[in-house]
Amino acid sequence: MKSTPEPAATARCSRRPLALLLSSLVLLVLTLVPGSTAVKRHDFKTCAQSGFCARNRALADRRADAAATWTSPYAIVEPAFKDGVLSAGVKNALYPSISFGLEVSFQKDGVARLKMDEVGGLRQRYNEAAMWAVQSNPEQAVQEGEFTVKIGKDETSVKYAGGRHEVRLKHSPVLVTFLRDGVEQVVLNDKGLLNMEHFRIKSVGKPDEETVVPDQEHPGEQIVIVKDEAYPGFLPENEDGMWEETFGGKTDSKPKGPESLSLDITFPGYSHVYGIPQHASSLSLKQTRGGEGAYTDPYRLYNLDVFEYDADSEMAIYGSIPFMKAHRPGSTVGVFLVSGSETWIDITKESTPRSVNSQFKSAKSSSADKGPTSLTTTTHWMAESGILDLFVFLGPTPNDLFQQYTSLTGKIPLPQLFAIAYHQCRWNYQSEDDVLGVVSKFDEVDIPMDVIWLDIEYAEDHKYFIWDRRNFPTPEKMQESLGATGRKLVAIIDPHIKRVDDLYIYKEAKELDILSKTSDGKEYEGWCWTGSSAWTDWFNPKSWDWWISQFTFEKFKGSTKYLYVWNDMNEPSVFNGPEITMQKDTIHYGGWEHRDVHNIGGMIYQNVTAQGLIGREEIPKRPFVLTRAFYAGSQRFGAMWTGDNLGTWEHLASTVPMLLTNGIAGMTFSGADVGGFFGNPSIEMMVRWYQVGAFSPFFRAHGHIDTKRREPYLFDQPHQGYMRDAVRLRYSILPTMYTAFFDASKTGIPILRPQYVVFPEDSDGYAIDDQFYLGSSGLLVKPVVTEGAVETEIYISDNQPYYNYFSHEIVFGGASGGAFVKVPAPLSNLPAYHQGGSIFARRDLVRRSAILTWRDPITLVVALDHAGTSASGSLYLDDGETFAYEKGEYVHRGFDLAPQSAGDKTLLLKSRSLQAASTSTSVAPYHPSENAWAKKISDVTVRKVIILGLASKPSCVKRAGSDVGLQFDWTDGLAATAGSRRGGARAPGKKASELVIHDAGAEIVQDWDIVFEFGGAGCSVTPAVDYEIGLQSPLCPAGRFRCANEGHIPSCILTSRVNDGICDPECCDGSDETDGKVACANVCAKVGAEYRKQKDEEARKRRVGASVRQDYIKFGAKEKSKLQAEIETVTKEIRGLEEREVAAKASLEALESAEAGEIERKKNSALYQSIVEMQSAIKSLRAERAQLEGHVAELSSVLSELSRDFNPNYQDMAVLGASRAYKSWRVSSGLDEASTEEGSEQENLPGDEDFSHHVPAPVQQDGWKDYADSELEELSNEDPLSLIDSLSTRVGTPAAQTITAIFNVQEYIPEAWKPKFDEYKTALLSILSKTGIITAQTSSDADRPELTRARAAHSTLVEEIKKATNRREDAEKALERDWGRDWEWKKLDGTCVENNLGEYTYSVCFFGEATQKSNNNNARTSLGNWSSWSSSAEPGTDAYYEKHVYDNGQRCWNGPLRSAKVDFICGTSNALLSVVEPEKCEYLFTVSTPAVCFPLEEQTVGGAKDEL
């Protein structure tokens, strides 16, 4: 600190740079650190920011203003019909030199296709979207007899589909109407918004206002018109966004100029429209231009990486399917616009015109169509590029439309069985031990699980296909271990490729020239997880076989048949691109721009990945590839999920509507991240989310790297049990879920069926999107998605009884259906109800993985209909892995319960084959003699049958043809007919009657009948076999089977592990496998010997460790004695000092009393006051400086870690910007030298060094001194009086005055004369003073040295007492510190252990600090300092001393302060064995040490001597 008489002013000046730095850093962090609670809407365009959308929406605005005066300039010319195709020219009167061609073709299934393209233009519009979306060319209707064609002057019409369908074309202006049974269903250009922007040359100056057009009133002549007068409002007001467009600092060059397409599509008399996924929105689509709950922007279709998206929004997210359905009672229609470009869709509703109702009435149709509703829906479709390619579907039923659309774009293939079971995922499971440990813990708590997933961190530097061998040294072995229990592994492979020349994939792609190009022909470069990245051009045919080959076992090192793939980031996601995606002027194969094909690329990527998995094995298995981006037709290649959702109730509530919408647009194999990808949901929400997941087609739990781990086994009871029940429920219903997948693969009907699909005539259910039916099973599911709910309402459309899946309580709707019924919704389960008239197949035995259940028995739940006499259902089974089902190797059974004959009380439950009905294009006809699968499961039975709702107890239940009855249990309850008897009254809380056959023994592959007789004399019965009791041992807990393991230790395993096809290691005698699936040898002798050897070695190590521990104890005892002796010595010293201090204080007080006046004078002096003020200022400045330096250090730490850990994380290039800003600040502050190295952007990233502990040094100026804090503290604590008294020693001896010099002669007087001299001097001074000749001097250290000496002596003693007291306190604290029960840990104080674990070297110093050092850049990170022993164990116990806690380490980026827990195990030496990060920034060390080798309870006597 500078020496100056104005310290306060100096402090103000010197604080300013620090304060400015602090505020700058705060602003930098607040500005650049990404948010974590909501979508960044400013990263994504609105319609107003998208040039073509803004233009076409403005066109609609001008049309609305013009109302009836609006005229479209488009007209049809020269229509013709040939070979089943209606063709015509189209002219735009505003541009008469531009020609368009129109073509309408017709398919055999009644679907019409309308195409419009520019003819003879400057270039070809993109016209290849259909080759990717359409599975195969549908069969066309081409025979003349299939059509009725009328071509007139003003209108052309074609009737097709047996005359039921018709298309009418009004010539001028263009109006296209599709009719069914004479009633308008779909109308194109009814609002006159058709607008195909033609290719043009950019004009210079003002465009022509006049043009020459044909004169309609005088054929063959032309007239000149003024464009704006002839068609007012049709032309755009300016050319904004036509030739160039900038958003978010990125410019789209638009070299082709404007080329958008606008078309209004009206559904007259339809108030509900559905589809156009993907949006987090309602099932029934909302209005976008006014109306209750309307959005303000159009629905957008543009595949984007929108993490933390809104739970209710029209925003585009990851997928795009431009398919829309309209529905009303008795009629369903739809349209599919085949466009791969960015598309916006406005939706408006208005009153249905009277003409529409009049037309319906006059048509006198005999169809089921109930006629127009009160509202008509109009949609406005706006696509950025491409031709107009529109498929029109006229239904008439929802199921017809599903069949028509999926026949066109493809149906889902049957997945492997594991794919529809439970998946456990997290970003990221960090190592092989972590992966296998998670699986092991699932097994410990008996929660089934089929797949565990690996996110991006498994790959070395995010170079996909290359394992990080530091954490996954033996991936093949890990996968084999998973496969041994029927599990699979899924690893992520994203489309971006790291741009490093030594990466073989990048090198091969460059050599093949299959990478995407910039508009000037250079390799396209962007940023993603790999850093600087390139993207394969999937539209290039050379890329397909190349990519497929990457999945061969020879090339994908470390992969096995148990490995499947996750395609993420395939929108594509480009962190530094516009809207976090690829620039639109990027060039793809064929010269097409990215704007033309953006929404399609992700689908091709998933396709070729799936082909790679199919081709890697000689006998191929069905692939599993999860995708995030999708397009129409993606359903052919695998599953999708709803992306980066949040762990909130709002996102949970949005899940079901999203899945329903995906399903009706073909993407029925879909699901959402259970628990939400972001955030830490409450325990209640986790339970509810698992219940939703249990019925989702794709069931995966997943979480962000920042979230706490949420595997179900980590939660306490009862919530762990609730989640466990949800997962086990999924496994129980897998037979029905798999059957629903089979049905969807045949019919295209979604797996989760909305209310309007199941009950298409019930208009009250059209907007319901919070409940659904599972396939055709009749199971109604109503997830609970509100916090704290204990009851809810289900909507029942029909008059059937509904039976609670869990309790069998029965509820009834209204007498004629259409009623909301309140039902209980406890947290333990969700409302799920069997619809009356359904038969539900399930497996009650739950194995650890799905594939292990293939020979387990089936249970049928028969829910009687309202008449109490009938029900039906089906079941599909195959091997769940291969394509053998396509050859007919499957079992498909139908079950029916009905009266034996009309009017007969006897009921028959029948099983019959449905194989003949299963035949489709993807499934071969059934050949019983060749059905290997049926033979393989010939001994699988329907064991248990549950009948709900019988009116009375049967007198006999038996197999047809047998005189011996089947044993059954009967429970009285409500009959299915109770609802009709009560006029539809509800009866919540009352159970239905229940009949249970425990051992029906009905083979699943055979036809059989079970007879239910009523009122007879009864029949003898065969006692049912209780298979569970047969496995249960009285020596084991309930649900456990006892393995005797003779020669080893007996064990109890779960009964579900018996006969599961796996030789359980706990049953070394092989007694767990007896049904022939697998032969398990008796290895107990070998296992027992190895076990005993292992235990002997553990005991030896413990004995050796205990011996070392005794040395630690001896050392601790000595240290303890030293401290006790030191305390005793210092105590004595303090007592002596205190006695001396009392005497010194008394002497000082006596002298001060005599000098009281002088002391008071000094305290009142200006010098004293200045010293006190300066000391106060010093203390204040020290505190403020410490606070500011702390803030700077903390912010520096945040930015330093951000720089070092840049990934780039959170798909946000602001992180990179913050890193660079921090680097610049360090250079400008003189803390770092400017980099002069050349290299890539990635190589020059800051962060190679940890600067978090550096604080900027104060600026040095002339005349300033930088005082250390200790020096300032010393100054602020000095006694002001002592400072004044010591002025002579601090500032030097004052110059001698004459009078003083005279009397200094005493120095030369002999000692014997001095007493007399003093008397003479005193007397003389007294006389001179009295006479006024001199003034009497005040007391000072010169003439009163005894006071100064007394004060110094007392201060010295006080300081010595303080130091001695501190020494004693330090010794007492050291003595009080818990060094273990026997002070054994004192020896280890400061001992450090470390281990190089690949990417990092970890170390922990006992009672010191835990650290992590990067092996790449040597950056050191504190994981915390020692704070306590175990926080969960009782103090003083062994467990208490087996754990250390280290906390308050460096803060994680976007996370908590780092911390570590150290688990100690007995060992013969101190060693760091392993480190894992179970939670973000929370580390778990495992350390061996003799300190915890506690004595064995029983010591081995006479054992061999242990050597250390």
Side-chain angles (χ1 to χ4, degrees):
M1 181 175 291
K2 185 175 181 179
S3 178
T4 174
E6 300 177 2
T10 302
R12 284 194 297 272
C13 291
S14 63
R15 287 202 306 268
R16 186 170 300 161
L18 199 58
L20 288 174
L21 171 61
L22 177 62
S23 62
S24 298
L25 286 172
V26 170
L27 287 173
L28 181 63
V29 172
L30 291 178
T31 302
L32 297 178
V33 172
S36 59
T37 58
V39 62
K40 288 187 170 184
R41 277 186 170 265
H42 62 269
D43 282 343
F44 305 99
K45 290 181 180 180
T46 62
C47 179
Q49 295 167 317
S50 179
F52 78 93
C53 184
R55 289 196 303 277
N56 287 296
R57 214 181 195 208
L59 176 70
D61 290 337
R62 295 192 296 272
R63 189 260 177 240
D65 293 340
T69 64
W70 182 262
T71 303
S72 169
Y74 287 89
I76 290 175
V77 296
E78 300 178 359
F81 187 86
K82 183 180 180 182
D83 297 331
V85 177
L86 173 63
S87 59
V90 178
K91 285 288 187 178
N92 179 349
L94 294 172
Y95 299 98
S97 62
I98 305 299
S99 298
F100 301 92
L102 180 71
E103 183 179 283
V104 184
S105 57
F106 308 91
Q107 297 173 192
K108 286 282 190 180
D109 59 1
V111 176
R113 182 181 189 180
L114 183 148
K115 297 171 69 176
M116 178 176 165
D117 192 4
E118 188 174 349
V119 178
L122 293 177
R123 56 182 62 86
Q124 175 62 53
R125 301 178 73 92
Y126 183 68
N127 59 1
E128 295 180 356
M131 68 179 283
W132 306 109
V134 176
Q135 183 177 25
S136 58
N137 291 325
E139 186 178 1
Q140 300 294 311
V142 295
Q143 300 300 320
E144 288 188 11
E146 299 178 86
F147 303 96
T148 301
V149 181
K150 294 182 179 180
I151 300 178
K153 176 183 177 183
D154 300 319
E155 184 177 277
T156 296
S157 70
V158 178
K159 289 186 176 180
Y160 60 102
R164 289 196 64 188
H165 298 175
E166 181 182 2
V167 58
R168 294 177 185 170
L169 278 70
K170 181 182 175 183
H171 295 172
S172 182
V174 172
L175 180 70
V176 182
T177 304
F178 289 89
L179 304 91
R180 187 186 63 237
D181 298 324
V183 178
E184 293 182 358
Q185 305 291 339
V186 180
V187 183
L188 312 183
N189 205 35
D190 183 49
K191 304 297 183 183
L193 300 180
L194 172 64
N195 183 29
M196 181 174 279
E197 294 180 324
H198 60 277
F199 289 121
R200 66 198 74 184
I201 298 173
K202 187 174 182 179
S203 59
V204 179
K206 190 175 181 180
D208 293 335
E209 296 180 356
E210 297 180 344
T211 188
V212 178
V213 299
D215 186 348
Q216 300 295 329
E217 297 181 358
H218 303 88
E221 298 183 11
Q222 295 180 322
I223 59 175
V224 177
I225 65 170
V226 178
K227 294 180 180 180
D228 284 340
E229 293 177 1
Y231 299 95
F234 200 89
L235 291 175
E237 297 175 353
N238 53 57
E239 294 189 348
D240 290 349
M242 285 188 177
W243 299 97
E244 186 177 87
E245 189 173 331
T246 299
F247 177 78
K250 306 292 193 306
T251 298
D252 177 8
S253 63
K254 293 194 174 182
K256 296 186 294 182
E259 53 176 316
S260 73
L261 168 68
S262 165
L263 177 66
D264 61 277
I265 303 176
T266 299
F267 302 97
Y270 289 87
S271 57
H272 291 275
V273 290
Y274 309 92
I276 58 169
Q278 186 181 34
H279 303 94
S281 186
S282 55
L283 174 66
S284 179
L285 297 173
K286 299 180 181 182
Q287 296 187 73
T288 62
R289 309 207 76 177
E292 185 178 354
Y295 298 130
T296 56
D297 241 23
Y299 284 93
R300 188 186 188 195
L301 296 177
Y302 191 59
N303 295 359
L304 290 172
D305 182 359
V306 186
F307 69 101
E308 297 182 337
Y309 54 84
D310 287 341
D312 183 8
S313 173
E314 80 294 340
M315 287 179 67
I317 45 179
Y318 308 98
S320 302
I321 299 180
F323 169 69
M324 181 181 286
K325 294 176 62 175
H327 180 76
R328 70 187 185 206
S331 179
T332 306
V333 297
V335 295
F336 170 38
L337 178 66
V338 191
S339 171
S341 68
E342 177 185 352
T343 302
W344 301 77
I345 305 163
D346 263 322
I347 298 175
T348 57
K349 298 180 182 181
E350 56 190 11
S351 297
T352 298
R354 290 183 180 180
S355 59
V356 174
N357 289 293
S358 300
Q359 183 197 53
F360 175 77
K361 292 176 182 178
S362 62
K364 297 180 181 179
S365 171
S366 60
S367 71
D369 189 351
K370 301 299 189 296
T373 63
S374 61
L375 293 177
T376 286
T377 301
T378 296
T379 61
H380 182 198
W381 299 63
M382 298 162 279
E384 184 172 17
S385 68
I387 66 171
L388 170 59
D389 191 353
L390 184 74
F391 288 87
V392 180
F393 311 90
L394 298 182
T397 69
N399 291 352
D400 290 332
L401 214 70
F402 290 131
Q403 182 65 260
Q404 292 162 1
Y405 174 71
T406 57
S407 293
L408 185 70
T409 62
K411 298 176 174 63
I412 64 166
L414 263 178
Q416 289 200 46
L417 186 60
F418 81 79
I420 68 170
Y422 175 68
H423 301 243
Q424 181 62 47
C425 185
R426 176 173 180 77
W427 178 21
N428 200 83
Y429 292 120
Q430 299 171 341
S431 65
E432 291 179 5
D433 289 342
D434 196 6
V435 168
L436 298 178
V438 169
V439 173
S440 177
K441 289 182 177 69
F442 268 88
D443 285 345
E444 287 176 15
V445 296
D446 196 23
I447 300 178
M449 184 259 284
D450 266 67
V451 192
I452 190 163
W453 292 54
L454 291 177
D455 212 313
I456 57 177
E457 310 305 332
Y458 84 93
E460 178 186 288
D461 296 329
H462 302 156
K463 294 181 288 190
Y464 309 109
F465 295 101
I466 299 177
W467 294 85
D468 181 354
R469 296 286 176 166
R470 296 170 297 188
N471 297 312
F472 297 91
T474 56
E476 300 97 329
K477 184 178 179 181
M478 175 182 65
Q479 293 165 56
E480 293 289 344
S481 179
L482 293 171
T485 54
R487 271 63 178 256
K488 306 294 188 293
L489 180 73
V490 169
I492 195 168
I493 296 179
D494 291 341
H496 45 270
I497 301 173
K498 192 173 185 69
R499 297 178 70 249
V500 288
D501 290 332
D502 60 353
L503 177 59
Y504 71 90
I505 290 184
Y506 177 60
K507 183 179 179 181
E508 291 174 359
K510 284 180 66 176
E511 291 173 349
L512 284 171
D513 193 24
I514 55 174
L515 295 174
S516 299
K517 300 290 194 299
T518 60
S519 57
D520 58 0
K522 297 178 182 178
E523 180 183 306
Y524 177 79
E525 178 193 7
W527 279 77
C528 206
W529 298 122
T530 54
S532 176
S533 305
W535 275 260
T536 304
D537 179 6
W538 302 114
F539 297 89
N540 190 326
K542 291 191 296 183
S543 70
W544 305 338
D545 288 339
W546 168 78
W547 187 253
I548 290 169
S549 72
Q550 302 301 324
F551 293 91
T552 63
F553 299 134
E554 295 77 18
K555 200 157 192 180
F556 189 176
K557 304 295 184 183
S559 69
T560 71
K561 63 181 180 180
Y562 303 110
L563 180 69
Y564 293 85
V565 177
W566 171 15
N567 285 164
D568 196 359
M569 314 299 285
N570 53 334
E571 292 77 24
S573 178
V574 183
F575 292 167
N576 61 336
E579 299 192 89
I580 317 180
T581 192
M582 187 173 282
Q583 279 85 343
K584 288 184 176 180
D585 54 8
T586 304
I587 302 301
H588 292 283
Y589 179 80
W592 301 116
E593 285 188 304
H594 186 72
R595 81 182 72 253
D596 302 317
V597 299
H598 173 86
N599 291 338
I600 302 173
M603 176 177 71
I604 305 175
Y605 180 53
Q606 185 189 20
N607 180 5
V608 291
T609 300
Q611 297 305 316
L613 297 182
I614 293 172
R616 65 184 179 176
E617 294 185 73
E618 185 175 348
I619 299 177
K621 290 187 174 67
R622 304 173 216 172
F624 174 77
V625 181
L626 180 73
T627 184
R628 190 169 70 178
F630 58 89
Y631 182 64
S634 287
Q635 66 268 17
R636 305 193 299 265
F637 310 119
M640 59 74 58
W641 93 107
T642 60
D644 296 346
N645 57 352
L646 277 74
T648 65
W649 288 102
E650 293 78 10
H651 273 258
L652 175 58
S654 73
T655 296
V656 171
M658 290 180 74
L659 300 187
L660 296 179
T661 298
N662 290 340
I664 65 174
M667 288 299 298
T668 190
F669 193 3
S670 61
D673 284 343
V674 168
F677 181 61
F678 290 102
N680 295 300
S682 68
I683 183 62
E684 179 190 0
M685 191 192 306
M686 283 298 298
V687 172
R688 292 304 192 190
W689 217 309
Y690 265 89
Q691 291 169 354
V692 172
F695 288 97
S696 301
F698 177 57
F699 183 14
R700 182 184 74 158
H702 186 34
H704 189 273
I705 195 171
D706 284 345
T707 63
K708 288 188 174 294
R709 289 214 172 184
R710 353 169 160 129
E711 290 78 10
Y713 55 74
L714 294 174
F715 295 93
D716 294 331
Q717 298 293 357
H719 301 95
Q720 181 194 114
Y722 297 158
M723 286 182 269
R724 174 182 181 270
D725 291 345
V727 178
R728 292 175 64 84
L729 172 63
R730 172 54 165 251
Y731 279 74
S732 179
I733 68 172
L734 276 179
T736 289
M737 182 68 76
Y738 196 57
T739 300
F741 269 85
F742 173 74
D743 290 342
S745 73
K746 286 177 53 189
T747 65
I749 303 174
I751 294 162
L752 304 187
R753 301 183 180 181
Q755 197 76 19
Y756 90 87
V757 172
V758 181
F759 298 99
E761 307 304 318
D762 181 10
S763 59
D764 289 339
Y766 290 173
I768 291 177
D769 56 11
D770 58 357
Q771 65 181 49
F772 55 84
Y773 286 81
L774 177 58
S776 60
S777 69
L779 186 68
L780 170 62
V781 181
K782 172 66 179 286
V784 178
V785 295
T786 54
E787 186 174 12
V790 294
E791 63 180 16
T792 189
E793 286 186 329
I794 59 173
Y795 179 77
I796 298 177
S797 285
D798 55 1
N799 62 352
Q800 293 289 356
Y802 280 74
Y803 308 83
N804 186 284
Y805 182 93
F806 306 98
S807 67
H808 296 164
E809 293 176 358
I810 190 170
V811 297
F812 300 91
S816 57
F820 285 95
V821 181
K822 188 171 290 186
V823 296
L827 187 58
S828 56
N829 55 57
L830 81 170
Y833 287 82
H834 293 291
Q835 180 190 27
S838 64
I839 296 179
F840 190 92
R842 72 188 194 205
R843 276 190 163 116
D844 292 339
L845 179 56
V846 175
R847 305 284 191 183
R848 71 186 89 177
S849 61
I851 201 64
L852 303 180
T853 65
W854 65 278
R855 282 183 68 180
D856 291 336
I858 299 293
T859 293
L860 296 181
V861 180
V862 182
L864 292 179
D865 68 348
H866 59 84
T869 58
S870 64
S872 62
S874 64
L875 174 66
Y876 174 85
L877 300 170
D878 62 26
D879 67 13
E881 288 186 329
T882 72
F883 291 94
Y885 73 94
E886 294 181 350
K887 304 174 184 177
E889 294 188 12
Y890 62 92
V891 171
H892 193 196
R893 307 296 299 183
F895 307 106
D896 288 285
L897 177 73
Q900 187 171 20
S901 59
D904 194 342
K905 291 184 178 181
T906 300
L907 301 177
L908 285 183
L909 175 61
K910 299 181 179 181
S911 172
R912 297 292 184 268
S913 174
L914 298 178
Q915 257 89 345
S918 299
T919 302
S920 72
T921 57
S922 61
V923 180
Y926 172 58
H927 299 288
S929 62
E930 300 174 7
N931 192 339
W933 176 247
K935 295 176 183 177
K936 192 172 183 178
I937 63 169
S938 59
D939 58 347
V940 175
T941 64
V942 173
R943 178 178 290 175
K944 191 175 185 178
V945 179
I946 303 171
I947 312 288
L948 302 176
L950 284 170
S952 60
K953 179 180 178 180
S955 56
C956 180
V957 179
K958 61 184 180 181
R959 291 280 295 272
S962 173
D963 295 329
V964 181
L966 299 171
Q967 184 180 355
F968 66 89
D969 292 333
W970 170 262
T971 303
D972 283 324
L974 282 177
T977 55
S980 58
R981 292 199 304 270
R982 298 178 183 209
R986 298 130 176 89
K990 295 186 178 181
K991 291 188 176 182
S993 66
E994 182 179 301
L995 181 149
V996 181
I997 305 171
H998 290 286
D999 187 16
E1003 297 84 352
I1004 195 65
V1005 300
Q1006 301 296 329
D1007 293 349
W1008 45 260
D1009 298 346
I1010 296 178
V1011 182
F1012 298 84
E1013 297 177 349
F1014 297 86
C1019 56
S1020 61
V1021 299
T1022 301
V1025 177
D1026 192 328
Y1027 295 91
E1028 283 295 315
I1029 291 295
L1031 297 177
Q1032 180 69 54
S1033 169
L1035 300 177
C1036 292
R1040 302 272 173 165
F1041 171 81
R1042 187 173 189 269
C1043 306
N1045 292 344
E1046 187 173 343
H1048 187 40
I1049 301 172
S1051 65
C1052 297
I1053 66 170
L1054 292 165
T1055 55
S1056 61
R1057 306 285 168 84
V1058 179
N1059 290 325
D1060 63 354
I1062 299 172
C1063 297
D1064 199 297
E1066 294 184 52
C1067 278
C1068 58
D1069 60 0
S1071 59
D1072 58 315
E1073 296 297 320
T1074 60
D1075 66 352
K1077 289 194 194 81
V1078 63
C1080 301
N1082 188 329
V1083 294
C1084 285
K1086 179 181 178 182
V1087 171
E1090 291 176 353
Y1091 175 79
R1092 288 187 290 274
K1093 182 179 179 181
Q1094 176 186 348
K1095 288 298 180 183
D1096 288 344
E1097 177 62 16
E1098 290 177 0
R1100 185 195 69 81
K1101 288 183 177 180
R1102 181 167 290 275
R1103 288 194 301 272
V1104 173
S1107 176
V1108 177
R1109 182 173 180 271
Q1110 288 301 316
D1111 293 338
Y1112 293 174
I1113 293 172
K1114 292 176 184 178
F1115 178 86
K1118 290 180 182 178
E1119 291 297 306
K1120 189 174 183 180
S1121 298
K1122 288 180 182 178
L1123 288 172
Q1124 292 169 337
E1126 183 180 356
I1127 292 170
E1128 184 177 350
T1129 299
V1130 176
T1131 300
K1132 292 178 181 179
E1133 180 184 341
I1134 291 172
R1135 284 199 295 267
L1137 289 170
E1138 287 174 342
E1139 292 174 358
R1140 292 169 58 194
E1141 186 270 340
V1142 170
K1145 184 177 181 181
S1147 176
L1148 176 61
E1149 289 175 348
L1151 289 170
E1152 287 181 335
S1153 178
E1155 299 291 334
E1158 177 63 14
I1159 292 173
E1160 187 63 26
R1161 185 187 69 79
K1162 290 179 180 178
K1163 287 185 176 180
N1164 291 331
S1165 68
L1167 177 58
Y1168 184 93
Q1169 296 300 323
S1170 295
I1171 292 173
V1172 171
E1173 289 179 5
M1174 185 172 292
Q1175 287 180 325
S1176 298
I1178 291 172
K1179 290 177 181 178
S1180 176
L1181 289 173
R1182 283 183 61 232
E1184 187 171 349
R1185 185 170 80 168
Q1187 184 180 27
L1188 289 173
E1189 288 180 348
H1191 288 322
V1192 172
E1194 184 176 356
L1195 290 170
S1196 296
S1197 176
V1198 170
L1199 289 171
S1200 176
E1201 292 179 30
L1202 185 151
S1203 301
R1204 185 187 61 235
D1205 299 336
F1206 174 70
N1207 207 22
N1209 205 348
Y1210 298 98
Q1211 299 120 310
D1212 197 330
M1213 295 309 292
V1215 179
L1216 178 59
S1219 298
R1220 290 171 176 161
Y1222 178 54
K1223 180 70 174 179
S1224 298
W1225 169 75
R1226 291 191 54 78
V1227 172
S1228 64
S1229 300
L1231 301 175
D1232 213 357
E1233 293 183 2
S1235 175
T1236 57
E1237 296 179 5
E1238 295 182 358
S1240 70
E1241 190 172 31
Q1242 184 182 21
E1243 290 168 346
N1244 286 332
L1245 280 175
D1248 291 340
E1249 191 177 344
D1250 182 11
F1251 301 112
S1252 59
H1253 58 283
H1254 292 311
V1255 176
V1259 178
Q1260 298 295 316
Q1261 299 182 19
D1262 294 340
W1264 287 74
K1265 176 184 176 183
D1266 183 22
Y1267 279 87
D1269 194 67
S1270 59
E1271 293 177 293
L1272 294 176
E1273 182 180 19
E1274 183 179 347
L1275 286 174
S1276 64
N1277 291 334
E1278 286 216 48
D1279 179 20
L1281 287 174
S1282 297
L1283 287 171
I1284 294 174
D1285 288 345
S1286 62
L1287 277 176
S1288 61
T1289 60
R1290 288 185 177 257
V1291 300
T1293 303
Q1297 297 180 4
T1298 305
I1299 187 170
T1300 305
I1302 293 175
F1303 294 106
N1304 277 345
V1305 297
Q1306 64 183 348
E1307 297 178 5
Y1308 303 97
I1309 296 174
E1311 290 295 324
W1313 293 7
K1314 283 185 179 179
K1316 290 292 184 180
F1317 177 81
D1318 287 338
E1319 291 177 11
Y1320 170 76
K1321 182 184 74 170
T1322 301
L1324 178 60
L1325 289 176
S1326 177
I1327 293 170
L1328 293 175
S1329 176
K1330 289 177 181 179
T1331 59
I1333 297 174
I1334 64 171
T1335 301
Q1337 289 184 323
T1338 58
S1339 177
S1340 68
D1341 57 342
D1343 56 5
R1344 291 303 303 270
E1346 59 273 19
L1347 179 58
T1348 300
R1349 289 194 296 269
R1351 185 177 288 123
H1354 179 261
S1355 296
T1356 300
L1357 286 170
V1358 169
E1359 185 63 27
E1360 289 181 5
I1361 291 172
K1362 181 179 178 182
K1363 290 180 179 178
T1365 302
N1366 288 340
R1367 293 204 315 272
R1368 183 173 65 180
E1369 289 177 353
D1370 290 344
E1372 287 173 342
K1373 287 180 181 178
L1375 189 63
E1376 292 171 0
R1377 185 165 182 177
D1378 190 350
W1379 294 105
R1381 279 195 306 266
D1382 302 307
W1383 269 55
E1384 64 272 28
W1385 284 93
K1386 178 61 178 174
K1387 175 75 171 178
L1388 297 177
D1389 184 17
T1391 298
C1392 300
V1393 292
E1394 71 173 29
N1395 195 347
N1396 185 335
L1397 297 178
E1399 185 175 1
Y1400 297 102
T1401 294
Y1402 292 89
S1403 70
V1404 58
C1405 295
F1406 302 156
F1407 309 102
E1409 185 181 26
T1411 62
Q1412 175 195 70
K1413 187 183 75 173
S1414 171
N1415 291 331
N1416 295 325
N1417 57 25
N1418 291 321
R1420 179 184 176 279
T1421 301
S1422 173
L1423 306 184
N1425 293 287
W1426 190 89
S1427 64
S1428 69
W1429 299 95
S1430 174
S1431 58
S1432 59
E1434 182 181 350
T1437 61
D1438 289 352
Y1440 181 71
Y1441 293 113
E1442 288 176 340
K1443 186 185 294 291
H1444 279 186
V1445 177
Y1446 294 73
D1447 55 24
N1448 291 319
Q1450 288 177 236
R1451 183 172 297 279
C1452 276
W1453 163 241
N1454 200 40
L1457 294 174
R1458 289 178 172 86
S1459 62
K1461 293 180 180 178
V1462 180
D1463 285 339
F1464 293 103
I1465 62 173
C1466 174
T1468 58
S1469 63
N1470 298 298
L1472 175 54
L1473 304 180
S1474 66
V1475 180
V1476 296
E1477 189 180 1
E1479 299 284 359
K1480 181 180 179 180
C1481 307
E1482 296 180 9
Y1483 300 82
L1484 180 60
F1485 287 56
T1486 301
V1487 174
S1488 68
T1489 177
V1492 295
C1493 291
F1494 304 110
L1496 295 171
E1497 294 182 2
E1498 296 182 7
Q1499 295 287 350
T1500 303
V1501 179
K1505 181 179 179 181
D1506 295 316
E1507 297 293 340
L1508 181 59

